[in-house]
Amino acid sequence: MRPPAAPLRRKLIAGGCTLLLLPLVPGLARAATIVAVRTWPADEYTRVTLEMDTELKAEHFTLDSPHRLVVDIEGVQLSTAINDLVSKIRPNDPYISAVRVGQNRPNVVRLVFDLKQDVAPQVFTLKPIGEYKYRLVLDLYPKIAQDPLMALLKDTENDPLAGILESLAQGGPSEAPIPSVEGQKLPPTARKPPEGAPPPPPRTAPGPRPGRPILVALDPGHGGEDPGAIGKRGTREKDIVLQIALRLKKLIDAQPGMRAYLTRDRDYFVPLNVRVQKARRVQADLFISIHADAWIKPTARGSSVWALSQHGATSSAARWLAKKENDADLIGGVNLGAHNAQVAKVLLDLSTGAQINDSIRVGTQVLKEIGKINKLHKNRIERAGFAVLKAPDIPSILIETAFISNPQEEQLLRTPAHQQRIAHAVLSGIQDYFSAHPALARRG
């Protein structure tokens, strides 16, 4: 029988620490085997994942002076795999400076993370899914979460548009001239009603506010624990779409009066609802989620562009694809215990007819341009219930750049030249849309 945990808890509480006890797994007898250890450092948070062949119990607490995170894992012994965690901590990790591993007591391994700053950790377990076995996940968030808009400001240092974005962050007006697209002036938005007057009814706003660039949110799909589709040569969707998004961002940022924002700029996992929240927080005028399709038969090929459907998918294949993409949270790993209510709220179908109509318009322009550089899977916009397209006030499309499961298209996706062609095609579609439809669908 293991000694009672009460004295340990009293000691931790007296020291001002926090403690989380994950549910005990009945019948846990033999020592579990750690099959893999992975780390995913990012500015927003660092994730450490321990994959094992059986579910485990873990306790964690934090210590100050200096900041440390202590995790006790019951039911394991020291092994090569868990010792490998020490070498996986990277010098540029914004949260972890080092980690120490030891056998704290029989059948309990202790991990001590030396931290670079105070963190708000989340520790949770995930059931087996796909290629993964049981996972113990340690998410190290900063005590004060990073604001996407401030990240955008940081990205625009030494940029003439930085002042515009800073004004937006502070909620104030800007006196800068109205940006133009392809030489066309964009109309200013309507004035605010007098103080005390009732707000106007929801309507389609006439366009970006004066003095701010057109802001395009680029969303490279998957990331971190979620590789997305994997081609025959081992090409991972998450890597390809990030490269395309980075190239597209560079092209957009080079256009006068336009700027791009990435929902992720490195290899880490972003939950679907957070991707939508980020785009809304920076008040994006357009949201583009970038993916690479896969199918059970390697002969399937071609690019496609998708908009949201409020009334069911356009085909059984569309339903299958939407489910696959919406399952990204299960594979990437979301702490439903902490965020279940929030996730459920955000993923409600909040989209409006105006948003969907504008999504179809911009999607049509993008599809036409992509059709010039690659075969199209369908010659029209397809629709399905993608969770990531459910921002109620931002035209949103999802691009399946090609079938990574098709050997020929996988090879194309791997080449920088084809990635650049895709980025150019998407930019051309965006520019065509804003030239033909300068009035954006934005709620008041």
Side-chain angles (χ1 to χ4, degrees), residues 28-286:
L28 190 63
R30 68 176 181 85
T33 300
I34 305 293
V35 298
V37 175
R38 297 178 292 273
T39 61
W40 309 100
D43 290 338
E44 294 181 30
Y45 75 108
T46 286
R47 169 167 289 190
V48 177
T49 304
L50 287 81
E51 187 178 357
M52 56 207 73
D53 62 355
T54 187
E55 195 168 11
L56 296 177
K57 185 181 72 168
E59 296 175 341
H60 82 270
F61 56 92
T62 57
L63 298 169
D64 298 325
S65 303
H67 295 302
R68 285 154 291 161
L69 169 65
V70 181
V71 181
D72 287 341
I73 308 173
E74 185 173 337
V76 294
Q77 300 290 334
L78 281 178
S79 64
T80 302
I82 200 166
N83 280 323
D84 282 347
L85 179 59
V86 176
S87 62
K88 289 182 181 291
I89 302 304
R90 306 172 193 175
N92 64 343
D93 190 304
Y95 301 101
I96 304 173
S97 61
V99 62
R100 290 166 280 148
V101 179
Q103 196 76 45
N104 179 254
R105 55 190 185 273
N107 217 35
V108 175
V109 166
R110 170 165 288 187
L111 311 178
V112 179
F113 294 88
D114 297 317
L115 305 175
K116 295 179 179 178
Q117 58 177 289
D118 199 6
V119 301
Q122 293 184 15
V123 180
F124 56 98
T125 57
L126 296 170
K127 301 287 187 182
I129 185 172
E131 300 296 319
Y132 291 125
K133 300 181 185 297
Y134 290 95
R135 285 175 288 170
L136 175 65
V137 178
L138 319 174
D139 283 347
L140 280 62
Y141 289 92
K143 276 293 181 67
I144 301 176
Q146 176 175 296
D147 189 317
L149 190 55
M150 298 311 295
L152 182 60
L153 286 170
K154 183 180 178 182
D155 187 47
T156 58
E157 287 182 2
N158 303 318
D159 187 300
L161 296 176
I164 297 172
L165 293 168
E166 184 174 6
S167 176
L168 176 61
Q170 296 170 352
S174 172
E175 301 300 324
I178 301 172
S180 62
V181 179
E182 297 293 302
Q184 182 175 354
K185 282 274 188 177
L186 294 175
T189 54
R191 297 284 187 264
K192 289 184 177 181
E195 189 172 352
R203 61 179 178 82
T204 299
R209 284 190 297 244
R212 58 154 284 176
I214 291 173
L215 190 57
V216 181
L218 302 177
D219 175 49
H222 309 282
E225 289 287 292
D226 177 18
I230 300 177
K232 188 175 181 180
R233 297 183 58 185
T235 310
R236 300 181 301 186
E237 179 182 2
K238 68 173 183 176
D239 300 328
I240 296 298
V241 298
L242 178 58
Q243 288 302 311
I244 294 172
L246 290 169
R247 292 176 185 278
L248 179 54
K249 181 183 189 306
K250 188 173 182 179
L251 291 176
I252 291 175
D253 288 347
Q255 307 305 308
M258 294 183 73
R259 175 150 293 280
Y261 167 75
L262 291 170
T263 59
R264 71 174 180 97
D265 58 1
R266 277 179 276 173
D267 185 13
Y268 63 97
F269 175 70
V270 182
L272 297 174
N273 69 301
V274 176
R275 296 169 189 262
V276 176
Q277 287 173 347
K278 286 183 171 187
R280 299 190 72 199
R281 177 66 184 94
V282 300
Q283 298 184 26
D285 302 300
L286 179 62

